[in-house]
Amino acid sequence: MIMTLGRSGVPYITTWSAEESLPTTVIQRPGGGIAYLDETLVDRDENGVLWQRVPSRPGRGRPEFGKVHPLRQRRAMRRLLCGICGGVPDRTDEGVLWLVRDFRGDWPDWPDGMAATEPPVCLPCAHRSVGACPALRIGFVAVRVGQSTVAGVYGTVYQGGQPFPAPVDDAVVAFDDSAIRWVQAAQLVRELGDCTILRAMPERRDQLWQRDRPGVPNGVGDGTQAHPA
């Protein structure tokens, strides 16, 4: 079941209170890396990365806003679905629409090369989420992403130890990093590229950024009213 923002007010990737993490025992694998003591085939993805065990029960209990559901986030990022409604994100010739926190001072050409854990959005959900999401109210940009690549995961990094390995940090780890063997993944990461930042309405933080086109809004319209979670 897909819970949409329009019908339930709850983003698709949000965790519900009935979706508590299942108990696991993390052990060290021979040769390095981590595993579950009772591991099954579904605990790892096609890249061999170990994932958190969380049941999928959307709509049951209370929404836990700000807490991302690993399976639905992973599905949205892999299939490029709107993170709010689970539908098709907005796309133009410039690319797919993303709303991201504004960190343009971090490096030249930002957000090209950014490791994103937030899925893209469709236009109706973008309009609603600008005023509803606390993180976006702090400051955001709307970005058209011309290309993006599934590049790694965000999760808990462990280090070896006896009798059990110990969690030491939460971090983004690329698939080609040897540390990936020590990660319990929580979110899939896409590296953004060929990005176009849309022009802002600087006097209002709660208004969606847009690009001018004579007579007709192009891409994103005015909004009235999503780092890792």
Side-chain angles (χ1 to χ4, degrees):
M1 176 175 61
I2 293 179
M3 305 300 297
T4 70
L5 183 67
R7 289 185 302 178
S8 70
V10 181
Y12 171 64
I13 63 171
T14 294
T15 297
W16 292 74
S17 58
E19 299 176 314
E20 295 184 358
S21 297
L22 300 175
T24 57
T25 299
V26 177
I27 61 173
Q28 185 166 326
R29 304 176 79 180
I34 58 172
Y36 292 140
L37 181 62
D38 58 346
E39 188 171 312
T40 66
L41 289 176
V42 298
D43 288 321
R44 293 184 184 271
D45 62 19
E46 64 272 21
N47 294 295
V49 179
L50 188 68
W51 279 79
Q52 290 182 355
R53 281 184 181 171
V54 181
S56 183
R57 298 166 183 160
R60 295 179 59 180
R62 303 176 310 281
E64 298 185 343
F65 295 105
K67 185 176 180 181
V68 173
H69 190 273
L71 180 60
R72 291 194 293 277
Q73 187 273 354
R74 179 175 157 194
R75 180 177 185 268
M77 291 295 274
R78 184 164 298 284
R79 300 188 183 185
L80 279 181
L81 304 177
C82 173
I84 307 299
C85 70
V88 179
D90 190 68
R91 185 190 296 267
T92 67
D93 290 343
E94 288 182 306
V96 178
L97 179 63
W98 250 272
L99 298 184
V100 298
R101 289 284 305 279
D102 189 351
F103 293 113
R104 278 178 284 187
D106 281 6
W107 65 83
D109 300 323
W110 181 95
D112 283 292
M114 174 181 171
T117 57
E118 303 89 350
V121 291
C122 67
L123 272 179
C125 289
H127 291 184
R128 297 186 185 101
S129 63
V130 168
C133 177
L136 294 183
R137 287 201 298 267
I138 295 173
F140 75 96
V141 290
V143 179
R144 292 288 181 189
V145 178
Q147 62 180 18
S148 64
T149 304
V150 175
V153 298
Y154 171 80
T156 302
V157 182
Y158 283 72
Q159 70 176 15
Q162 296 298 330
F164 299 105
V168 293
D169 195 14
D170 291 330
V172 171
V173 181
F175 288 130
D176 59 2
D177 188 328
S178 61
I180 197 73
R181 299 180 300 162
W182 296 94
V183 177
Q184 183 188 39
Q187 299 178 44
L188 196 63
V189 170
R190 276 186 176 268
E191 182 178 345
L192 307 186
D194 190 19
C195 298
T196 302
I197 298 176
L198 305 186
R199 190 171 61 82
M201 298 293 290
E203 73 278 7
R204 290 182 56 184
R205 289 177 179 266
D206 66 339
Q207 189 163 16
L208 195 62
W209 300 48
Q210 65 180 24
R211 180 181 294 276
D212 283 345
R213 179 179 172 187
V216 180
N218 180 29
V220 188
D222 288 347
T224 57
Q225 242 325 340
H227 186 231

